[in-house]
Amino acid sequence: DPRIVYAGTGEMNFSGDSYYGCGMLRSTDGGATWTRLGASVWDTPTGGATIAKVHVDPATAGATAAATLLVASSLGLYRSTNGGAAWALVLGGFVTDLVADPTSGGAILYASVGTPSASGSNGIYKSIDGGATWTRLTNGLPATDVGRIALAHAGVAGTVIAAVQDGFGLGGNDGGLLGLWKTTDAGATWTQLAATGASCFTQCWYDIVVAIDPSNPSRVFFGGVALYRSLDGGASFTPVGGSVVHADQHAIVFDPRNPQVVYSGNDGGIYRSPDGGATWTSLNNNLELTQFYGGLSVSADLSRIMGGTQDNGTVEYRGSVEWPRILGGDGGFTAIH
């Protein structure tokens, strides 16, 4: 039922401006109205949860009272079998990603635990019972320096790619890309991909995402600061998007009706490719998505307003709808004499 929509709030990207949300929300009227689910789970005395991914079991998705939901969050991986009325913790730690094997009917799922620091619990976990229980996968995966992890399922049974951040630790790791690993036997064994050309610079703790074309497992997208595409299954990557796609990638989605249509979500908004990533256009007209920092300043005669924004520079209002950018990068505090 496409009128039923679940949304997990709070941004799990580990930056200074990634703040927690109000937990889980559900709409049964296509987004017109929303209801909070399990507020006592997601609100804590020290702050709320940041939610990375929500998975709805396809077999139960059409009935809210009996829907099985899985939520990957900073408080752990939670599961509900009654549409969010009650929740059970099934996997501890910062669960940064969650993907399902679409060929398994909802039974097989993969989750990643991964804080930016190289914690011993960071790794990839698998469930074969719809998320009720989990087993850690280790054969061929790195044992040390593992930070944040992003996952992608190929749509082919047993094929998963994991992008791993070089976790911060005593070894002087810089937070860049540790590497990409691939399994074709449902996690029994993993092989590191060459992944030449792919990079997050030193920001894989903040912007790391991987996606596989469901119609063509040889076409793989990787997002760090820039957006990259591989046509050989992850052996090599080249940048795509040029000057059109903004920096700092966080989401890559394929249109299920036509996988040639790809969307990228990043610190600049939403971008679309109609041809498998070869060309891109911005979809940000009329979207109010610029995040201003504190320190907005207004001139005495109201003719000028200036403010610093997150990763979209410092901009100034001069009377027109469009605010010209006067400085790049992250903006800061401003003042007008």
Side-chain angles (χ1 to χ4, degrees):
D1 184 347
R3 296 170 298 176
I4 302 174
V5 184
Y6 296 89
T9 65
E11 180 188 357
M12 192 195 286
N13 281 318
F14 301 103
S15 68
D17 57 2
S18 296
Y19 47 85
Y20 61 83
C22 62
M24 279 295 300
L25 304 173
R26 180 181 65 208
S27 175
T28 58
D29 52 17
T33 60
W34 295 85
T35 302
R36 291 182 74 190
L37 303 174
S40 61
V41 174
W42 311 113
D43 289 336
T44 73
T46 57
T50 56
I51 295 175
K53 189 70 70 71
V54 178
H55 171 72
V56 185
D57 174 27
T60 60
T64 56
T68 295
L69 312 174
L70 285 155
V71 176
S73 79
S74 56
L75 304 180
L77 181 62
Y78 279 82
R79 183 175 186 257
S80 173
T81 57
N82 54 11
W87 298 87
L89 179 65
V90 293
L91 181 63
F94 276 74
V95 184
T96 54
D97 211 348
L98 174 68
V99 296
D101 184 335
T103 69
S104 70
I108 300 176
L109 302 105
Y110 301 85
S112 59
V113 174
T115 61
S117 298
S119 168
S121 63
N122 289 355
I124 301 173
Y125 297 77
K126 178 184 177 182
S127 173
I128 59 173
D129 54 12
T133 60
W134 294 83
T135 302
R136 185 168 183 173
L137 306 175
T138 59
N139 190 6
L141 290 169
T144 59
D145 301 328
V146 175
R148 182 178 176 181
I149 302 171
L151 300 173
H153 199 285
V156 178
T159 300
V160 180
I161 290 179
V164 183
Q165 172 223 336
D166 191 0
F168 296 111
L170 298 179
N173 304 324
D174 63 2
L177 182 63
L178 187 64
L180 269 66
W181 279 262
K182 181 178 182 179
T183 178
T184 58
D185 54 13
T189 58
W190 296 77
T191 303
Q192 185 173 5
L193 299 172
T196 57
S199 172
C200 309
F201 297 99
T202 60
Q203 289 190 187
C204 281
W205 55 271
Y206 173 65
D207 42 33
I208 184 170
V209 61
V210 62
I212 307 171
D213 185 336
S215 67
N216 179 8
S218 294
R219 183 158 54 200
V220 180
F221 288 85
F222 175 78
V225 175
L227 182 62
Y228 301 87
R229 182 181 66 169
S230 171
L231 300 177
D232 53 17
S236 61
F237 288 84
T238 56
V240 292
S243 61
V244 176
V245 177
H246 196 278
D248 294 335
Q249 315 306 313
H250 300 292
I252 302 170
V253 178
F254 295 90
D255 187 329
R257 300 162 300 179
N258 178 11
Q260 283 289 109
V261 178
V262 190
Y263 296 88
S264 169
N266 51 50
D267 279 8
I270 305 170
Y271 298 79
R272 178 182 186 272
S273 171
D275 49 17
T279 61
W280 294 81
T281 57
S282 168
L283 301 182
N284 297 317
N285 290 337
N286 302 319
L287 292 182
E288 298 175 2
L289 44 63
T290 301
Q291 178 185 357
F292 280 89
Y293 290 126
L296 194 76
S297 56
V298 183
S299 65
D301 63 359
L302 307 183
S303 65
R304 298 287 179 93
I305 303 173
M306 192 182 301
T309 72
Q310 191 276 321
D311 211 26
N312 283 272
T314 300
V315 295
E316 183 181 23
Y317 170 77
R318 300 173 181 173
S320 64
V321 173
E322 183 173 316
W323 294 37
R325 183 165 61 183
I326 58 175
L327 287 172
D330 283 297
F333 285 82
T334 64
I336 299 175
H337 192 291

